[in-house]
Amino acid sequence: MTHRAAVLGHPISHSKSPALHRAAYAHLGVELDYEAIDVTEEALPAFMARVREDLRQGRGWRGLSVTMPLKSGMVREVDEVRGVARSLGVVNTVAFEAPPPGEDPGTTRLVGYNTDVAGIVNALRHAGAASAPSAVVLGGGGTAAAAVAALKELGAPDAEIYVRDVSRATEAKTAAAAVGLAIRVLPLSGAAAALARADVVISTLPPRAADPLAEELAGVLAQRAGGSSARPAPARPGVLLDVAYDPWPSRIAAAWQDAGGTVVPGLEMLIYQAVEQVRHFSGLGEAMPADVIDVMCDAAGAPRRVF
């Protein structure tokens, strides 16, 4: 029987997850149909009820990838939350643990994980991010929570969190308390100077949301370079990971790259976190061959890894 998996979110038509996952399962010889399904926050409980009914009827599900704006709400829809997802209260991956042979399929357990943290850590390390970096995060939601945990793993001593509304950074604050990283939550309007001096910047804002900041940042970086962005800067910006990957390059990524900084597209994070999801959904776990990441890179138009 061919099993099902999907990426859920709203909007979702732009998602590259289907291309990544389908390439992986074809390479692995795993019969698993993977699709994108548009699900709003309000519709999530009803959708998950239908998934559970599918399981009771013997229609197989193997996994769900979860993107904005569903990562926090999914915590309430699973039977168990494991690993860093439990500390963060943010789930981006749902795996299905089948019952023992002969038991009711309705007893399948839905288990929540967070692979975004591994995706961010591996993408930044692949780009050569400094250890114990000075760090800035743009945004305070579910992906920002993963960014906070990733920065802790990278050895950052603290981080500044810049948000449009300082009263709405609950997920980032919860994550910081859970992993023990000191943070300051500040208004987005003052972020440009902080970005220019940071070793690592992680933008978790939706596509185009950082555009107003990009022009100001370009001015700060040009001033730092001696008044002209065309002249080489004495000290280049650090590493910017922009989780938004459509359109690409984003305006903030273009400003960063023009000033000589290293830019990590969100596609890199997406690939690395998807590798961890494929481990869960394929059932191969750590036995999954390492070369699967190369076919996923091919599917996304990203360079293959060099180890």
Side-chain angles (χ1 to χ4, degrees):
M1 178 178 66
T2 299
H3 290 84
R4 297 180 66 189
V7 56
L8 313 180
H10 177 75
I12 201 64
S13 60
H14 67 284
S15 177
K16 295 185 182 295
S17 290
L20 293 174
H21 280 261
R22 289 168 184 166
Y25 302 129
H27 179 71
L28 295 170
V30 174
E31 293 188 4
L32 186 57
D33 287 339
Y34 188 102
E35 60 184 323
I37 304 177
D38 195 297
V39 180
T40 65
E41 290 179 90
E42 296 76 15
L44 181 60
F47 177 85
M48 295 304 294
R50 290 195 296 274
V51 168
R52 290 184 184 274
E53 180 59 28
D54 284 345
L55 294 170
R56 282 189 287 270
Q57 297 296 326
R59 294 188 287 270
W61 282 89
R62 294 292 291 273
L64 297 172
S65 308
V66 185
T67 189
M68 294 186 291
L70 308 177
K71 294 180 181 182
S72 296
M74 186 59 81
V75 172
R76 298 185 291 273
E77 303 299 330
V78 297
D79 300 311
E80 183 182 353
V81 181
R82 292 181 186 163
V84 69
R86 186 169 58 250
S87 300
L88 301 183
V90 178
V91 165
N92 83 314
T93 303
V94 180
F96 295 76
E97 292 192 351
E103 288 196 14
D104 180 359
T107 62
T108 297
R109 288 185 61 77
L110 278 61
V111 182
Y113 296 91
N114 189 300
T115 66
D116 280 340
V117 176
I120 293 171
V121 168
N122 290 329
L124 288 172
R125 283 179 173 161
H126 182 69
S131 58
S134 59
V136 169
V137 177
L138 302 180
T143 306
V148 166
L151 289 171
K152 177 68 175 180
E153 188 168 334
L154 290 168
D158 51 41
E160 294 180 345
I161 313 294
Y162 287 87
V163 294
R164 287 172 285 188
D165 182 350
V166 294
S167 68
R168 300 185 62 186
T170 302
E171 289 159 303
K173 291 177 181 177
T174 299
V179 301
L181 184 71
I183 65 169
R184 288 197 302 155
V185 179
L186 301 162
L188 190 61
S189 57
L195 267 60
R197 65 175 180 264
D199 296 324
V200 169
V201 174
I202 304 173
S203 175
T204 69
L205 298 173
R208 300 183 177 87
D211 286 359
L213 178 61
E215 185 174 351
E216 183 183 359
L217 174 63
V220 170
L221 293 172
Q223 184 177 19
R224 204 172 96 168
S228 170
S229 58
R231 292 169 55 188
R236 293 182 177 181
V239 177
L240 166 71
L241 167 59
D242 187 351
V243 304
Y245 55 83
D246 184 22
W248 190 261
S250 61
R251 287 179 60 185
I252 193 170
W256 196 265
Q257 194 163 36
D258 287 347
T262 299
V263 171
V264 183
L267 188 58
E268 289 285 307
M269 171 193 166
L270 183 70
I271 290 169
Y272 279 112
Q273 66 83 30
V275 168
E276 300 306 312
Q277 291 181 337
V278 171
R279 293 186 199 278
H280 287 294
F281 300 171
S282 67
L284 294 174
E286 295 303 316
M288 189 176 75
D291 66 348
V292 73
I293 194 171
D294 283 333
V295 301
M296 296 170 78
C297 288
D298 292 345
R304 288 191 167 203
R305 307 298 89 165
V306 178
F307 299 103

